[in-house]
Amino acid sequence: MLLFQNDHLKVRKLEIKDKFLLVKWLSDPTVLEFYEGRDNPMDIEKVEKAFYPAEDDEVRCIVEFGGHEVGYIQFYPMDEETKKNYGYANEIIFGTDQFIGEVAYWNKGIGTLLVSSMVQFLTEEIKAIRVVMDPQTRNKRAIRCYEKCGFKKVKFLPKNEWHEGEYQDCWLMEYKK
């Protein structure tokens, strides 16, 4: 099911057949360096468990560009406990996580188009007041992309995410409508 389209970019809901794409992308060390970790390559079983749970609030999607499946994005309403931990009040806040899985499509502006299009979808269609992400501080390319899309660093999150055998520092970044 197509969620939205912006020029050559399409975002559609994840389908069962997409598990093979996820395995391909999430077993590539180049992708894993920034998403999940090179020490955590995924096979079919891991993908099914992580991306096809029985029920949760995440909307999981495949990103297509120019007719090719190139990446993944998910979005979800932030739960009350996380809002409280991050210092947010009672407003509609969504989080997103994404990656371009086809490395040949890196550094072509697709990530920026994807993130800006998702922000537009979440703020206009879903009525989110804020959209947040928590990239690792070392992921300079992603942070630049998010800043180009209007995100601001709002809080340093020390030792926030387990990645490749150690806790990594992250930035809480937000886009506020």
Side-chain angles (χ1 to χ4, degrees):
M1 178 182 125
L2 185 68
L3 283 184
F4 63 83
Q5 181 172 352
N6 186 351
D7 198 24
H8 297 291
L9 179 86
K10 290 183 181 179
V11 173
R12 64 168 174 81
K13 286 194 174 178
L14 188 68
E15 300 171 12
I16 293 295
K17 67 176 179 153
D18 298 323
K19 64 185 174 184
F20 301 105
L21 281 170
L22 292 171
V23 168
K24 175 186 171 199
W25 297 334
L26 295 174
S27 60
D28 180 339
T30 309
V31 175
L32 290 171
E33 181 180 354
F34 300 100
Y35 198 93
E36 295 298 328
R38 291 168 288 198
D39 59 346
N40 189 28
M42 293 209 170
D43 56 19
I44 287 285
E45 187 177 310
K46 281 184 175 180
V47 162
E48 287 173 346
K49 186 176 180 185
F51 292 88
Y52 296 90
E55 225 177 275
D56 68 6
D57 290 337
E58 293 181 10
V59 179
R60 295 171 176 83
C61 304
I62 291 294
V63 178
E64 296 179 10
F65 188 80
H68 301 281
E69 295 151 327
V70 299
Y72 173 83
I73 190 165
Q74 63 187 23
F75 62 93
Y76 43 88
M78 185 180 283
D79 63 67
E80 293 306 315
E81 182 180 337
T82 305
K83 283 183 193 178
K84 186 178 174 185
N85 289 344
Y86 287 166
Y88 290 122
N90 189 18
E91 53 188 39
I92 301 169
I93 303 173
F94 273 75
T96 72
D97 304 294
Q98 58 278 317
F99 64 86
I100 302 299
E102 294 294 336
V103 177
Y105 286 81
W106 285 13
N107 301 314
K108 297 186 182 307
I110 297 167
T112 301
L113 179 61
L114 171 62
V115 171
S116 62
S117 299
M118 179 56 76
V119 164
Q120 182 178 0
F121 172 76
L122 290 172
T123 56
E124 292 180 8
E125 302 296 321
I126 309 293
K127 306 301 181 203
I129 303 300
R130 296 178 203 258
V131 180
V132 299
M133 294 185 224
D134 60 354
Q136 295 174 13
T137 57
R138 65 183 188 82
N139 195 345
K140 307 289 188 209
R141 191 173 68 245
I143 291 167
R144 275 194 313 274
C145 168
Y146 306 154
E147 288 174 335
K148 280 193 267 184
C149 296
F151 283 78
K152 306 269 188 259
K153 295 174 186 167
V154 293
K155 188 174 186 180
F156 179 70
L157 305 170
K159 301 189 183 325
N160 189 62
E161 181 177 301
W162 185 257
H163 186 84
E164 297 187 347
E166 62 183 302
Y167 282 99
Q168 299 289 323
D169 297 336
C170 296
W171 281 110
L172 175 62
M173 298 184 73
E174 73 173 20
Y175 175 94
K176 186 174 181 191
K177 186 171 178 179

